[in-house]
Amino acid sequence: MKNKTVRYYSTNYKAPEVSFREALLKGLAPDGGLYMLRDIPEIPVSELGALSGMKYPEVAARILSMFLGDEIGMQELLEICSDAYRFDVPLEAVNGRKYVMRLDQGPTASFKDFAALFMGRMMQYFLKIENQHITILTATSGDTGSAVANAFYDLDNITVIILFPVDEVTEMQRKQMTILKKNIHVFAVDGKFDDCQKLVKKAFTDPSLSVFRLSSANSINIGRLLPQSVYYFYAWSRLAETNDDKVVFSVPSGNFGNLTGGIIAREMGLPVKCFVISTNENNEVPVYFKTGKYRVTSPSVNCISSAMNVGHPSNLARIVALYGGKMDESGKILKSPDLKKMRADFFATSVTDSRTRETIADCYNGSGLLLEPHGAVAWQGLMDYLRLNPEMDTGRQLCVSLETAHPAKFREEIFKILNFMPALPDSLSNLLGKVEEFIYLENDYDKFCHYIRNST
Ligand SMILES: *Cc1c(COP(=O)(O)O)cnc(C)c1O
């Protein structure tokens, strides 16, 4: 794999191909498309088996090296992964060969940590080589801001400025951002999330700020996608009995970045039987698979699995491209992908809030399995798949359902269903009693500019 350049194309096909470094630091392609791997590297079957003897950071370095080619040395990549992934990835046995993979042990108790931690460290690595500095600007309604703040905390060459609407984030979300300090500057805006976003967008296009090299840690960045392939390999490497042991994964999906990571893993050679695409009531993709017609859900439906309330998943353009089609940013299909193949590779299902609540109750009362709303949508999606494909429900079939947030992040909802509060993990209980630091900001662009100039 060494001495190989890996190239990334734009899903709008109107921008030049770039290296990983350029794709990472640019975020969006200049033609408005998303960057995607031109050729998906294949992992030799002989090396698949070797993964079972590796720890998570080693699996991560091995898989991610295939996306980076000669842009970084193996030793440096291993150091980055060891620094990023200092927590467990539990695979909890439920019954027979059905497992729940808990991706909730990171610093903000959400699976978004896997992506943000790697992305921040790779940005720092490239910026140090070039002796450059960037400022990450992010508007948040809670979760993204905290994952980015924790992932970029104390990195050299990077300043982070986060704007949140003063009355619209929970106390826990606010603390996850404001107790950090150092290079993380947090502003409570006297306005709504949309006002925060407007301030940020204006700053990005303001020529008077161009010297500050502003960038975003947007979820569409390829640097946030690729680390999400790793845990699929990891799960298989711990649970598979032979190289032919194919696994069914159920993925709770909103913007479809998690699923896209899984598809890339399968294209690389991971033995996957099927991906169950589990959505909440925002069911535009299950409907598309059924009818062949894609219509965005607008406005999006407010479900208790709140991180999946997405009416038009931006990563769908990448999946459509992988199946030979073309979709623009608005969701218009300009060239149809191979729907027949997609229907064979995926099982898409939508889970209502009432079924989500029932699942949380049934799993806990039936087998002591504690799920939060996102993980419950995935588990129920897996049950739908097995009900409609009874030949798979033999007890021999390996199935892994993904849990993407810690149940303690949804304590009120779980209390309503199960009548007790899940215990806080250390990452969340450590927030209590820490001193917060943030600045109140009027919804005023000139004042915001003044702060950008002083923070960077
Ligand atoms: C972001 C998020 C999701 C959805 O992941 P996508 O990659 O956007 O599909 C699911 N669960 C939780 C807890 C999340 O934060």
Side-chain angles (χ1 to χ4, degrees), residues 198-212:
K198 272 182 204 145
L199 290 172
V200 165
K201 280 197 175 141
K202 193 160 175 191
F204 278 130
T205 54
D206 184 343
S208 81
L209 294 176
S210 61
V211 288
F212 296 111

Side-chain angles (χ1 to χ4, degrees), residues 110-112 143 228 252-258 307-308 374 404-405:
S110 144
F111 96 103
K112 294 205 167 54
D143 274 349
Q228 296 177 171
S253 295
N255 241 327
F256 284 65
N258 198 354
M308 308 200 304
H374 306 81
T404 45

Side-chain angles (χ1 to χ4, degrees), residues 13 29 53 107 127 142 240 307 403 446:
Y13 302 98
L127 290 166
E403 165 91 1
D446 290 332

Side-chain angles (χ1 to χ4, degrees), residues 27 41 77 104 109 117 168 211-212 232 302 309 332 346 416-417 427:
L77 188 55
D104 59 5
L117 286 163
E168 287 180 19
V211 288
F212 296 111
Y232 292 93
N302 255 334
N309 294 338
K332 203 164 142 200
F346 304 111
K416 278 192 246 165
I417 302 165
S427 59

Side-chain angles (χ1 to χ4, degrees), residues 109-113 143-144 219 224-225 228 231 251-261 278 305-310 313-315 372-375 402-406 409-410:
S110 144
F111 96 103
K112 294 205 167 54
D113 289 329
D143 274 349
T144 302
S219 65
R224 275 186 62 177
L225 189 66
Q228 296 177 171
Y231 42 74
V251 187
S253 295
N255 241 327
F256 284 65
N258 198 354
L259 179 74
T260 309
S278 302
S305 46
S306 51
M308 308 200 304
N309 294 338
V310 181
S314 46
N315 280 296
E372 52 70 55
H374 306 81
L402 275 51
E403 165 91 1
T404 45
H406 194 283
K409 283 193 113 173
F410 295 87

